[in-house]
Amino acid sequence: MNEMMIDQLSLFSVAEDIKKEGKELLYELNLAEALDRFDKAVNIDPSLADISMYIAIIRFLNHNRCNKGGDLIQLARTWQLAYKETLQKLMSLARFKCIERILVQRILAKTDSIGHAYIDESNQVLPVGYCYLVEDKVQEAHRNFVDQVTTDTYRYDARLWSYLGDASWTLEHYVEARGNYKRALFLDAHSVDFQNIRHDRIRHLYCRLLEVYNKRVLVESLMPIAAWFEDLIQISPGDDFIADYLRDRIEVCRKNSHRSLVNCYDQFARCLFLEQFSMDIDFDLRFEMKELCQDLFSQYMSVMDPPLQLPVAFNIDDEGRVIVQMDV
C-alpha cells in the first residue's frame, strides 16, 4: 500500500471519529459544537454518510429553540412538529426517528413527571409512556400507561390505549394487546399512531387502505371496521366499559344534521361495536348502519348471516365509497 493511500485512510478514520463526536454532542443538544464537528468531518471526507441529515436536524432543532437548556414543554412541542411534518411527508421517517430519539433521551433525562400521562399535561402533546417505548423501556411504558388509563381522567384516551397496546404487544401479551387496540380503534381511531403501531398486521392494513385511497382521515375512520372484518380485533358480548361512552357518542352524532363521509364511517364503527357487544340482535343499530353505508352493511350482514357469496376484500372508489369485492 503506497503512502498516499495510507494518508487517505488515516484522514477518513479521523473524519469518522470527528463525526462520532458530533453525534454525541447532538444527542446532548450541544448544537453549535455538534455542527462544528460535522463541518470539520465533511471537510476532511465529503463522502461521509448521513452528514447532510445531521446538519438538517441541527437546523430544525435550532429553529425550534431546542438546546441543552431547553425546557420539557419546548422539547415535547418540537417532537410534535417533527411528527406532523412526517405525516405530511415533509420530513423523512429516518430523520424523524433520529430527532425523536434525541428529544426523548433529553426529556427522560430531565423529566420529573414520570407519574403523569403527558409531558405537557396542559397541551397533551407527548405521552410519558411513549418516551419509554422509544427507549425500549417497555416495562416502564406498560406500567405508566396502565396507571393512566385506569384513572377517570384518561379512561377514554384512545391514544394512551393504543400505546398501551404497543407495550403489551412488545411484551408478547397478545390477548391483552388486542383488547387495548380494540378500545383505541373504537374510542377514536383518529388518535391512533398507525405509522408506528407495533401490531404489524394492523399497520399493514392501514398502509394498504392508504394506498387505495390517499386520504388519511378517511382511512382512519375505516380502520376499526376493516380490522374487525379481518379478525385482527374481536368484540365480545357484554364485557367492555367503553360501550356506554360509545352510546353517548352515537346520540351526539345523531343530532348532527350534516354528516361527512368520515362522520358516517365513525358512526358505523360505533354501531358495529354496540351490535357485537349486545347479547341480542339490535335492529335499530342495524337499520342505522344500513342508512350510513349500504355496502359496508351488506358486508357486515354477510359475516353475521353468511349467504352463498362471501366477501374477500373491500376497496374505496374516487368518491370515497366502499366497494365490496365478492367471491362467488
Side-chain angles (χ1 to χ4, degrees), residues 100-261:
E100 178 176 71
R101 184 58 66 91
I102 292 166
L103 294 174
V104 161
Q105 285 188 6
R106 294 304 302 164
I107 285 169
L108 290 180
K110 294 164 69 75
T111 187
D112 57 358
S113 58
I114 290 172
H116 296 171
Y118 290 91
I119 297 299
D120 179 4
E121 289 283 1
S122 63
N123 201 29
Q124 297 188 356
V125 169
L126 177 60
V128 174
Y130 178 77
C131 294
Y132 286 123
L133 277 179
V134 171
E135 285 293 278
D136 294 323
K137 297 179 178 179
V138 185
Q139 291 284 3
E140 291 93 330
H142 188 273
R143 189 178 307 116
N144 177 271
F145 288 128
V146 169
D147 287 346
Q148 301 310 319
V149 298
T150 51
T151 66
D152 290 339
T153 304
Y154 297 108
R155 187 173 173 82
Y156 303 110
D157 190 316
R159 194 176 179 200
L160 296 185
W161 278 109
S162 175
Y163 286 137
L164 176 56
D166 287 340
S168 304
W169 192 261
T170 306
L171 292 169
E172 299 183 358
H173 301 162
Y174 298 124
V175 174
E176 176 192 337
R178 281 189 285 269
N180 296 332
Y181 287 134
K182 172 193 66 178
R183 293 187 180 111
L185 287 167
F186 284 98
L187 282 170
D188 181 12
H190 303 288
S191 296
V192 174
D193 183 3
F194 287 111
Q195 77 169 3
N196 289 309
I197 199 165
R198 297 197 178 190
H199 189 307
D200 54 347
R201 290 185 63 195
I202 292 178
R203 187 175 64 255
H204 293 157
L205 173 62
Y206 174 76
C207 293
R208 195 170 81 232
L209 289 177
L210 203 56
E211 287 177 1
V212 174
Y213 191 79
N214 189 25
K215 191 171 184 180
R216 185 166 52 86
V217 67
L218 181 63
V219 172
E220 289 167 353
S221 293
L222 284 166
M223 278 302 296
I225 305 165
W228 182 81
F229 278 146
E230 299 207 6
D231 202 30
L232 302 180
I233 52 176
Q234 292 81 39
I235 305 166
S236 301
D239 71 344
D240 206 303
F241 68 88
I242 71 171
D244 288 339
Y245 176 86
L246 295 180
R247 286 191 189 96
D248 291 340
R249 293 296 303 148
I250 283 175
E251 290 304 320
V252 169
C253 186
R254 284 171 178 167
K255 295 173 183 176
N256 185 359
S257 58
H258 176 71
R259 293 183 187 176
S260 68
L261 192 59

